Amino acid sequence: MCIDPPNVSYRWAVRSAATSPGTSTSSGRASRMRIGVLGTGGMAEALGGAWAAAGHRVLVGGRDRERAARTAALIGAEHGSLAQAARHGEAVLVAVPAAAAPQLVSELAGEIVGRAVVDCTNPLMPTAEGLMLDTGDTGSVALQLATAAPGAYVVKAFNLCHVSIWTLRPPTFENVPLAVPFCADHPTAVAVTATLISSIGCTPAPCGGLARAAYLEATAALAIGLWWEGRQPRAAFPSPAEAPPS
């Protein structure tokens, strides 16, 4: 279960992101942010498209500039190189395979200083025992990225849902907006991430600092493993409010 961390500045950043005139309006539509997207695959297209539809200025960057241009055209975004996407604005989405993410972030470390760098990757490895995390003894990919780019504000978020969920406008289930768990250390990153989440109609669910990102990655391994078996992960987490009174 995600918990509200005890750090007061952390809680304030999440609340202010939802109420500040600089990040959202009374209509729920966020004011424009600049968001760079590293990668041209499914998550880049789905999340980048959601943010572009919400009014943000999105720039898709890839090693293959033609593919970046195609992805950008599909979602109404700009396109450019990876370096251009990295320095585009307040937030940078890392939407490349988990195994490639640390090296890429290391290459771009100078471009992403002071930016919220959102890691949506899942370091999963199929085994005879089911899906396992492929992070060695590093704890999480998110911590690997923080080590690779110490001047960036790394965030773990958007890794628990299938890519198709981010194409919904908005992602709402049983009349309840989707909650998006995230882990971050820096108040700026917390506020930026809360805006990224709320601007597409979802609810920010802060789960503590980046040290807890490993739990989000492990949760993804469990949930995706259940989906592969044809099961519904959410059936395992009923709300306490649904239980009969004792």
Side-chain angles (χ1 to χ4, degrees):
M1 178 182 294
C2 296
I3 58 173
D4 195 9
N7 187 293
V8 173
S9 63
Y10 190 107
R11 294 199 304 267
W12 177 86
V14 175
R15 289 198 301 268
S16 65
T19 59
S20 168
T23 54
S24 63
T25 67
S26 58
S27 67
R29 187 176 182 84
S31 60
R32 286 166 62 94
M33 288 176 54
R34 295 185 308 278
I35 305 167
V37 176
L38 306 179
T40 57
M43 287 295 283
E45 181 180 330
L47 279 172
W51 289 324
H56 299 300
R57 183 179 171 185
V58 178
L59 190 153
V60 177
R63 297 192 191 278
D64 184 332
R65 295 288 290 270
E66 290 186 6
R67 186 169 179 180
R70 288 197 299 270
T71 299
L74 285 172
I75 64 176
E78 303 170 56
H79 72 277
S81 67
L82 288 166
Q84 287 173 316
R87 58 176 177 262
H88 179 62
E90 300 96 320
V92 179
L93 175 71
V94 180
V96 299
Q103 178 61 39
L104 175 61
V105 167
S106 177
E107 294 171 2
L108 299 170
E111 310 286 355
I112 55 178
V113 172
R115 288 173 167 79
V117 176
V118 181
D119 170 26
C120 69
T121 70
N122 280 317
L124 304 180
M125 175 176 59
T127 74
E129 301 294 330
L131 281 182
M132 305 291 282
L133 293 179
D134 187 18
T135 55
D137 58 359
T138 61
S140 68
V141 170
L143 286 176
Q144 292 177 22
L145 301 192
T147 299
Y153 306 145
V154 176
V155 181
K156 189 75 187 187
F158 300 104
N159 71 308
L160 295 186
C161 290
H162 187 267
V163 61
S164 61
I165 299 301
W166 307 116
T167 66
L168 302 177
R169 305 284 187 269
T172 301
F173 302 90
E174 298 176 355
N175 297 317
V176 177
L178 177 71
V180 181
F182 69 96
C183 294
D185 288 335
H186 197 280
T188 295
V190 172
V192 168
T193 305
T195 298
L196 293 176
I197 293 169
S198 60
S199 69
I200 60 174
C202 299
T203 301
C207 293
L210 203 62
R212 303 189 79 232
Y215 297 127
L216 289 187
E217 295 180 2
T219 299
L222 177 65
I224 294 171
L226 288 171
W227 286 325
W228 282 7
E229 295 174 2
R231 304 178 189 275
Q232 288 291 341
R234 66 177 178 171
F237 300 98
S239 167
E242 298 179 72
S246 56

